[in-house]
Structures are given as structure tokens and as C-alpha cells.
Coordinates of all heavy atoms in Angstrom, one line a residue:
W1 N 4.5 8.1 -3.6 CA 4.3 8.4 -2.1 C 2.9 8.2 -1.7 O 2.6 7.7 -0.6 CB 4.8 9.8 -1.8 CG 6.3 9.9 -2.0 CD1 7.0 10.5 -3.0 CD2 7.3 9.3 -1.1 NE1 8.3 10.4 -2.8 CE2 8.6 9.7 -1.6 CE3 7.2 8.6 0.1 CZ2 9.8 9.3 -1.0 CZ3 8.4 8.2 0.7 CH2 9.7 8.5 0.1
L2 N 1.9 8.5 -2.6 CA 0.5 8.2 -2.3 C 0.3 6.7 -2.1 O -0.4 6.2 -1.3 CB -0.4 8.7 -3.4 CG -0.5 10.2 -3.5 CD1 -1.3 10.7 -4.7 CD2 -1.0 10.8 -2.2
G3 N 1.1 5.9 -3.0 CA 1.0 4.4 -2.9 C 1.6 3.9 -1.6 O 1.1 3.0 -1.0
V4 N 2.7 4.6 -1.1 CA 3.3 4.2 0.2 C 2.3 4.4 1.3 O 2.2 3.6 2.2 CB 4.6 5.0 0.4 CG1 5.1 4.8 1.8 CG2 5.7 4.6 -0.6
I5 N 1.7 5.6 1.3 CA 0.7 5.9 2.3 C -0.5 4.9 2.3 O -0.9 4.4 3.4 CB 0.2 7.3 2.2 CG1 1.3 8.3 2.4 CG2 -1.0 7.6 3.1 CD1 0.9 9.8 2.1
H6 N -0.9 4.6 1.1 CA -2.0 3.6 1.0 C -1.6 2.2 1.6 O -2.4 1.6 2.3 CB -2.5 3.4 -0.4 CG -3.6 2.4 -0.6 ND1 -3.4 1.1 -0.7 CD2 -4.9 2.6 -0.7 CE1 -4.5 0.4 -0.8 NE2 -5.5 1.4 -0.8
E7 N -0.4 1.8 1.3 CA 0.1 0.5 1.7 C 0.2 0.5 3.3 O -0.1 -0.5 3.9 CB 1.4 0.1 1.1 CG 1.3 -0.2 -0.4 CD 0.3 -1.3 -0.7 OE1 0.4 -2.4 0.0 OE2 -0.5 -1.1 -1.6
I8 N 0.7 1.6 3.8 CA 0.8 1.7 5.3 C -0.6 1.6 5.9 O -0.8 0.8 6.9 CB 1.5 3.0 5.7 CG1 2.9 3.0 5.3 CG2 1.4 3.2 7.2 CD1 3.6 4.3 5.5
R9 N -1.6 2.2 5.3 CA -2.9 2.2 5.8 C -3.5 0.7 5.6 O -4.2 0.3 6.5 CB -3.8 3.2 5.1 CG -3.5 4.6 5.5 CD -4.4 5.6 4.7 NE -5.8 5.3 4.9 CZ -6.6 5.7 5.9 NH1 -6.1 6.4 6.8 NH2 -7.9 5.3 5.9
W10 N -3.1 0.1 4.5 CA -3.6 -1.3 4.3 C -3.1 -2.2 5.3 O -3.8 -3.1 5.8 CB -3.2 -1.7 2.9 CG -3.3 -3.1 2.6 CD1 -2.3 -4.0 2.3 CD2 -4.5 -3.9 2.5 NE1 -2.8 -5.3 2.1 CE2 -4.1 -5.3 2.2 CE3 -5.9 -3.6 2.7 CZ2 -5.0 -6.3 2.0 CZ3 -6.8 -4.7 2.5 CH2 -6.4 -6.0 2.2
Y11 N -1.8 -2.1 5.6 CA -1.2 -3.0 6.6 C -1.7 -2.7 8.0 O -1.7 -3.6 8.9 CB 0.4 -2.9 6.6 CG 1.0 -3.7 5.5 CD1 1.5 -3.1 4.3 CD2 1.1 -5.1 5.6 CE1 2.1 -3.8 3.3 CE2 1.7 -5.8 4.5 CZ 2.2 -5.2 3.4 OH 2.7 -5.9 2.4
A12 N -2.1 -1.4 8.2 CA -2.7 -1.0 9.5 C -4.2 -1.4 9.6 O -4.8 -1.0 10.6 CB -2.4 0.4 9.8
M13 N -4.7 -2.0 8.6 CA -6.1 -2.4 8.6 C -7.1 -1.2 8.5 O -8.2 -1.2 8.9 CB -6.5 -3.2 9.8 CG -5.7 -4.5 10.0 SD -5.9 -5.7 8.7 CE -4.8 -7.0 9.3
L14 N -6.6 -0.1 7.9 CA -7.4 1.1 7.7 C -8.0 1.2 6.3 O -8.7 2.2 6.1 CB -6.5 2.3 8.1 CG -6.0 2.4 9.5 CD1 -5.1 3.6 9.7 CD2 -7.2 2.4 10.5
E15 N -7.6 0.4 5.4 CA -8.1 0.3 4.1 C -8.8 -1.0 3.9 O -8.4 -2.0 4.3 CB -7.0 0.5 3.0 CG -6.3 1.8 3.0 CD -7.1 2.9 2.4 OE1 -8.2 2.6 1.8 OE2 -6.8 4.1 2.5
S16 N -10.0 -0.9 3.2 CA -10.8 -2.1 3.0 C -10.3 -3.0 1.8 O -10.6 -4.2 1.7 CB -12.3 -1.7 2.8 OG -12.4 -0.9 1.7
E17 N -9.7 -2.3 0.8 CA -9.3 -3.0 -0.4 C -7.8 -2.7 -0.7 O -7.4 -1.6 -0.6 CB -10.1 -2.6 -1.6 CG -11.6 -3.0 -1.5 CD -11.8 -4.5 -1.6 OE1 -10.9 -5.2 -2.2 OE2 -12.8 -5.0 -1.1
P18 N -7.1 -3.7 -1.1 CA -5.7 -3.5 -1.5 C -5.5 -3.0 -2.9 O -6.5 -3.2 -3.7 CB -5.0 -4.9 -1.3 CG -6.2 -5.8 -1.7 CD -7.4 -5.2 -1.2
K19 N -4.4 -2.4 -3.2 CA -4.1 -2.1 -4.6 C -3.2 -3.2 -5.1 O -2.3 -3.6 -4.3 CB -3.4 -0.7 -4.7 CG -4.4 0.5 -4.5 CD -3.6 1.8 -4.7 CE -4.6 3.0 -4.5 NZ -3.9 4.3 -4.7
K20 N -3.3 -3.6 -6.3 CA -2.5 -4.7 -6.8 C -1.5 -4.2 -7.8 O -1.9 -3.4 -8.7 CB -3.4 -5.7 -7.4 CG -4.4 -6.4 -6.4 CD -5.2 -7.5 -7.1 CE -6.2 -8.1 -6.1 NZ -6.9 -9.2 -6.7
Y21 N -0.3 -4.6 -7.6 CA 0.8 -4.2 -8.5 C 1.4 -5.4 -9.2 O 1.5 -6.4 -8.6 CB 1.9 -3.5 -7.7 CG 1.4 -2.2 -7.0 CD1 0.8 -2.3 -5.7 CD2 1.5 -1.0 -7.6 CE1 0.4 -1.1 -5.1 CE2 1.0 0.2 -7.0 CZ 0.5 0.1 -5.7 OH 0.0 1.2 -5.1
S22 N 1.8 -5.2 -10.4 CA 2.4 -6.3 -11.1 C 3.8 -6.7 -10.5 O 4.2 -7.8 -10.5 CB 2.6 -6.0 -12.6 OG 3.3 -4.8 -12.8
G23 N 4.5 -5.7 -10.0 CA 5.7 -5.9 -9.3 C 5.6 -5.7 -7.8 O 4.6 -6.0 -7.2
H24 N 6.6 -5.1 -7.2 CA 6.5 -4.7 -5.8 C 5.6 -3.5 -5.6 O 5.6 -2.6 -6.4 CB 7.9 -4.4 -5.2 CG 8.9 -5.6 -5.3 ND1 8.7 -6.7 -4.6 CD2 10.0 -5.7 -6.0 CE1 9.7 -7.5 -4.8 NE2 10.5 -7.0 -5.7
N25 N 4.9 -3.5 -4.4 CA 4.2 -2.3 -4.1 C 5.1 -1.2 -3.6 O 6.2 -1.5 -3.2 CB 3.1 -2.6 -3.1 CG 3.6 -3.0 -1.7 OD1 4.3 -2.2 -1.1 ND2 3.3 -4.2 -1.3
P26 N 4.7 0.1 -3.6 CA 5.6 1.2 -3.3 C 6.2 1.0 -1.9 O 7.4 1.4 -1.7 CB 4.6 2.4 -3.3 CG 3.6 2.0 -4.3 CD 3.4 0.5 -4.1
L27 N 5.5 0.6 -0.9 CA 6.1 0.4 0.5 C 7.1 -0.7 0.5 O 8.2 -0.5 1.1 CB 5.0 0.1 1.5 CG 5.4 -0.1 2.9 CD1 6.1 1.2 3.4 CD2 4.3 -0.5 3.8
A28 N 6.9 -1.7 -0.3 CA 7.9 -2.8 -0.4 C 9.2 -2.3 -1.1 O 10.3 -2.6 -0.7 CB 7.4 -4.0 -1.1
I29 N 9.0 -1.5 -2.1 CA 10.1 -0.9 -2.8 C 11.0 0.0 -1.9 O 12.2 -0.1 -1.9 CB 9.7 -0.1 -4.1 CG1 9.1 -1.1 -5.1 CG2 10.8 0.7 -4.7 CD1 8.5 -0.4 -6.3
L30 N 10.3 0.8 -1.2 CA 11.0 1.8 -0.3 C 11.7 1.1 0.8 O 12.9 1.3 1.1 CB 9.9 2.8 0.3 CG 10.5 3.9 1.1 CD1 11.4 4.8 0.3 CD2 9.4 4.7 1.8

């Protein structure tokens, strides 16, 4: 869920750096 929140902030341009996942990111999975 922390990953979901981070991805939402990333897509909203509120995070400066993305987290990289070998598979789907948490927001994509959800």
C-alpha cells in the first residue's frame, strides 16, 4: 500500500524519482 501511494504521487508529479520494479508496480497490480 505504501508502494501504491508512492505510484499515485509519482503519476501526479509529486515525486521526483520513480521506484523500479522487476514486475508490475503496486498501483498497476491493484
Side-chain angles (χ1 to χ4, degrees):
W1 292 104
L2 291 176
V4 170
I5 294 173
H6 180 276
E7 291 303 313
I8 292 175
R9 289 178 55 84
W10 165 247
Y11 280 104
M13 305 295 183
L14 298 176
E15 293 286 348
S16 59
E17 293 291 335
K19 290 184 178 180
K20 297 183 180 182
Y21 299 88
S22 56
H24 297 295
N25 68 61
L27 181 60
I29 292 175
L30 185 64

